[in-house]
Amino acid sequence: QMLCCISPQEVGPTMVGDEHSDPNLMNYLGATKRNMLGNHFWEYYVNDAPRIVLDKLESCGYRVVSMTGVGQTLVWCLHKE
């Protein structure tokens, strides 16, 4: 399973999934589902800093496989066997 975490800053909020994400995992992360004005899709986000989200995902068996910055946005890609 692949998962991406996206944050516009190091302190949050952090986008943790889309409308197809595992609802049990989103619940564990404490994520809220939202639709931003102008978007035709839903996303899950948490107000936690990425560090907190990454720690929670690690406890579920996810491992970071890559990380990059896009402008002021930070993106982590994780994988779970």
Side-chain angles (χ1 to χ4, degrees):
Q1 295 177 324
M2 290 293 293
L3 179 73
C4 288
C5 294
I6 303 169
S7 181
Q9 50 194 324
E10 294 177 3
V11 296
T14 305
M15 201 265 282
V16 294
D18 61 21
E19 66 262 31
H20 306 291
S21 296
D22 176 3
N24 293 323
L25 179 60
M26 297 299 109
N27 185 52
Y28 171 73
L29 295 174
T32 302
K33 192 174 183 181
R34 69 178 177 187
N35 176 265
M36 299 294 285
L37 184 63
N39 288 346
H40 299 290
F41 58 89
W42 291 83
E43 63 188 16
Y44 283 96
Y45 78 99
V46 295
N47 286 321
D48 295 330
R51 174 182 54 82
I52 303 297
V53 176
L54 293 171
D55 285 348
K56 286 181 177 180
L57 290 169
E58 182 180 29
S59 72
C60 293
Y62 284 89
R63 299 289 179 256
V64 174
V65 293
S66 67
M67 186 270 182
T68 190
V70 181
Q72 297 297 314
T73 301
L74 304 172
V75 181
W76 293 264
C77 291
L78 298 93
H79 181 261
K80 179 179 179 179
E81 297 294 329

